[in-house]
Amino acid sequence: TDLYAGARYRLKAGIFTFTPGVTAHAYNVNNTQYGTEFFKDTFTELLPEFEMVAQFKKSESLTFNYRKQVNFTDVNQIARGVVAGNYDSFQAGNASLLNSNTHNFSLFYRSFNLFNNTNVVGRLAYSKTADQVNRNTIFTPGSVVSSATFLNSPLDNESATAFLNAGKRFGKIQTSLTGRFNYSKTFQFLNSVANTNENISRVLGARVGTNFTKAPNVTLRYTV
């Protein structure tokens, strides 16, 4: 059960609009399986949030957002039952799993200029999760059968993304450049030993095409 109440306050000062807020939650978590109460937790949590908008003009703005979230795991990961994923792979739930907490940050920029036909959109985002529920795979030496359970990771998961798209129209010719960056840091547990998984991806793209209303259009794209 979740009993909560929230409040937000909006303040305008020049081109800036500030909207701080907070939500107070009273959680009551009960986990009873096969007539036995495995886990009971009653706790309160204050979840802050904040938004700032800088409105340079009607067609150009910069928005910053922060939000804290509480995440509860899927019921399959706390159930006592054993699930056979295959003839040589089994997993069991962990009734003592706790909730995780996530901090989310984002920065969003947009600009549209009707006079020189340009359009720019950009976004930065970062998130950090504590007590993330992770799969713990257990290998027994000399056996082809593996099993797994779940645990709250003592290490924080992180992810960051960046995106930028800039477009400009020259008469009936539309052009655009796109860039995208993704980074993630997660942890894989093998026999309760943490292994770090880091993933980085980068995408660059360019596009040029025609923009006719009563004629065939041609588009050329290049992506790395």
Side-chain angles (χ1 to χ4, degrees):
T1 60
D2 176 18
L3 180 64
Y4 62 93
R8 294 175 181 84
Y9 180 77
R10 179 165 294 176
L11 171 67
K12 297 193 71 174
I15 66 171
F16 295 98
T17 302
F18 302 94
T19 311
V22 65
T23 305
H25 289 259
Y27 295 106
N28 182 30
V29 182
N30 292 280
N31 179 2
T32 301
Q33 301 183 48
Y34 297 100
T36 302
E37 187 176 73
F38 282 90
F39 184 81
K40 183 176 182 179
D41 190 19
T42 300
F43 65 99
T44 58
E45 189 83 33
L46 290 177
L47 302 182
E49 58 185 75
F50 178 77
E51 181 185 76
M52 183 201 71
V53 179
Q55 193 75 44
F56 304 110
K57 43 192 170 183
K58 283 188 176 182
S59 59
E60 184 181 17
S61 65
L62 180 68
T63 304
F64 170 78
N65 262 296
Y66 165 74
R67 184 184 299 270
K68 182 183 178 181
Q69 293 176 303
V70 170
N71 306 310
F72 293 91
T73 187
D74 186 86
V75 67
N76 292 319
Q77 296 176 337
I78 62 174
R80 285 182 62 197
V82 177
V83 177
N86 207 330
Y87 72 93
D88 60 351
S89 177
F90 301 88
Q91 72 177 37
N94 179 359
S96 300
L97 292 177
L98 302 175
N99 61 282
S100 62
N101 295 281
T102 303
H103 299 271
N104 298 300
F105 302 84
S106 68
L107 189 65
F108 178 75
Y109 174 80
R110 70 171 186 91
S111 173
F112 176 72
N113 193 317
L114 190 62
F115 298 101
N116 57 17
N117 296 314
T118 59
N119 183 27
V120 179
V121 175
R123 185 175 188 269
L124 297 173
Y126 171 79
S127 69
K128 183 176 183 178
T129 302
D131 296 322
Q132 175 71 43
V133 174
N134 279 73
R135 178 185 175 95
N136 180 30
T137 303
I138 302 170
F139 291 103
T140 302
S143 174
V144 296
V145 179
S146 67
S147 60
T149 185
F150 300 92
L151 52 78
N152 287 107
S153 173
L155 306 168
D156 295 343
N157 288 4
E158 296 178 273
S159 67
T161 61
F163 171 79
L164 179 66
N165 179 269
K168 184 173 177 62
R169 183 161 56 88
F170 302 91
K172 294 297 183 179
I173 304 298
Q174 181 70 45
T175 64
S176 66
L177 293 173
T178 301
R180 186 180 295 110
F181 173 84
N182 293 282
Y183 169 80
S184 66
K185 182 180 181 181
T186 59
F187 297 91
Q188 179 185 29
F189 289 84
L190 302 174
N191 293 338
S192 299
V193 178
N195 295 271
T196 304
N197 292 332
E198 287 187 295
N199 182 63
I200 297 175
S201 65
R202 298 176 296 273
V203 177
L204 293 175
R207 174 185 177 276
V208 59
T210 59
N211 189 27
F212 298 113
T213 56
K214 295 183 179 181
N217 287 291
V218 179
T219 300
L220 175 66
R221 290 187 178 91
Y222 178 73
T223 304
V224 179

